[in-house]
């Protein structure tokens, strides 16, 4: 019975993440197809002349559409048309606030010039003596930086994720001197948060990689261990 239980747990560890990943991926593909396929002309939709539905067609069309939109807005004509559209949205009382907020979020998170969440760190929270993992977002800006600058504080904005859902959390402005940066990546820190501390990167191998940066074996072992 002990051996049977061990085999079952081993199979669950292997099949569980694979099954959940496949289910979530399939659900996202189906969701995008449900949105995009109704707008595809029937002559280009393989579902109209095949006896079975083809998953992923909507995802491919959405990807190509976003690429075309990015290409068109990269030239002068596209930027001019976009500016007129934003001017029109700016005159709508409720829509302008929603659009401007969403645009700023997307530009901050997705733009190549953004340094958002490039480093993981630890701070003392919610009281001295207790430590929490945070993601360093950016330097304090705007009115917050102005007010805190008058108070003589050099602060940075950090995101404190919650366990086991790291997509929710708190925005904190912390003195830079109280932020201790970590060597682990943001992805490794996120795994640590999601697993409630059970999945931790091998720090000894990271130290070995830093000590021997020119040794291919050390680098490969550190990556495999992470």
């Amino acid at each position: 019975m002990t051996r049977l239980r061990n085999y079952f747990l081993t199979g669950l560890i292997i099949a569980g993440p694979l099954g959940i990943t496949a289910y979530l991926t399939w659900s996202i593909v189906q969701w995008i197809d449900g949105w995009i396929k109704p707008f595809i002309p029937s002559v280009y939709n393989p579902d109209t002349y095949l006896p079975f539905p083809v998953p992923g067609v909507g995802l491919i069309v959405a990807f190509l559409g976003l690429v075309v939109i990015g290409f068109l807005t990269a030239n002068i004509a596209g930027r001019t048309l976009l500016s007129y559209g934003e001017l029109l949205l700016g005159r709508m009382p409720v829509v302008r606030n929603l659009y401007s907020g969403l645009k700023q979020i997307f530009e901050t998170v997705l733009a190549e010039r953004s340094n958002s969440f490039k480093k993981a760190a630890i701070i003392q929270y919610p009281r001295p003596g207790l430590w929490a993992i945070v993601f360093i977002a950016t330097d304090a800006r705007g009115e917050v930086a102005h007010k805190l600058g008058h108070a003589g504080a050099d602060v940075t904005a950090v995101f404190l994720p919650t366990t086991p859902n790291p997509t929710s959390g708190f925005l904190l402005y912390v003195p830079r001197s109280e932020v201790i940066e970590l060597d682990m990546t943001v992805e490794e820190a996120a795994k640590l948060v999601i697993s409630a501390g059970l999945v931790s990167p091998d720090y000894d191998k990271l130290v070995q990689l830093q000590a021997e940066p020119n040794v291919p074996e050390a680098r490969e072992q550190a990556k495999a261990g992470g």
Side-chain angles (χ1 to χ4, degrees):
M1 292 300 299
T2 302
R3 184 174 300 177
L4 181 63
R5 184 195 63 182
N6 293 337
Y7 288 159
F8 171 77
L9 294 178
T10 302
L12 183 63
I13 292 174
I14 296 175
L18 291 175
I20 295 175
T21 302
Y23 172 76
L24 293 177
T25 303
W26 178 259
S27 300
I28 293 174
V29 171
Q30 291 290 96
W31 179 71
I32 296 177
D33 283 351
W35 275 92
I36 303 299
K37 278 188 175 181
F39 299 98
I40 303 177
S42 58
V43 66
Y44 300 111
N45 192 348
D47 292 351
T48 58
Y49 49 83
L50 290 180
F52 54 88
V54 180
V57 175
L59 181 62
I60 296 175
V61 172
F63 174 78
L64 295 177
L66 292 175
V67 171
V68 171
I69 292 175
F71 171 76
L72 294 177
T73 54
N75 52 51
I76 297 177
R79 288 196 295 268
T80 303
L81 183 61
L82 180 63
S83 63
Y84 279 116
E86 290 182 343
L87 181 62
L88 179 62
L89 290 175
R91 297 180 178 179
M92 300 180 181
V94 179
V95 178
R96 63 186 179 189
N97 296 331
L98 179 62
Y99 173 76
S100 62
L102 291 176
K103 181 183 178 183
Q104 187 174 4
I105 292 174
F106 272 79
E107 287 180 346
T108 303
V109 175
L110 300 179
E112 292 182 357
R113 63 180 181 272
S114 175
N115 293 322
S116 299
F117 297 167
K118 294 299 183 180
K119 294 287 293 183
I122 54 176
I123 63 171
Q124 297 194 71
Y125 181 89
R127 64 169 177 81
L130 298 181
W131 296 87
I133 292 180
V134 296
F135 301 135
I136 300 177
T138 182
D139 295 333
R141 300 175 181 175
E143 183 179 359
V144 174
H146 179 72
K147 298 292 186 181
L148 294 178
H150 279 295
D154 181 19
V155 298
T156 182
V158 299
F159 176 73
L160 174 67
T162 57
T163 302
N165 180 19
T167 59
S168 63
F170 306 94
L171 170 64
L172 304 175
Y173 288 96
V174 185
R176 194 181 305 274
S177 59
E178 298 181 7
V179 179
I180 302 177
E181 295 186 3
L182 301 174
D183 293 327
M184 68 177 67
T185 64
V186 174
E187 291 77 11
E188 292 171 341
K191 293 179 183 179
L192 188 62
V193 172
I194 294 173
S195 64
L198 297 178
V199 179
S200 179
D202 195 336
Y203 184 69
D204 294 335
K205 292 184 178 181
L206 290 176
V207 174
Q208 180 183 2
L209 176 63
Q210 294 176 355
E212 304 178 22
N214 297 324
V215 180
E217 293 80 3
R219 186 179 297 106
E220 294 298 328
Q221 291 177 4
K223 290 182 180 179

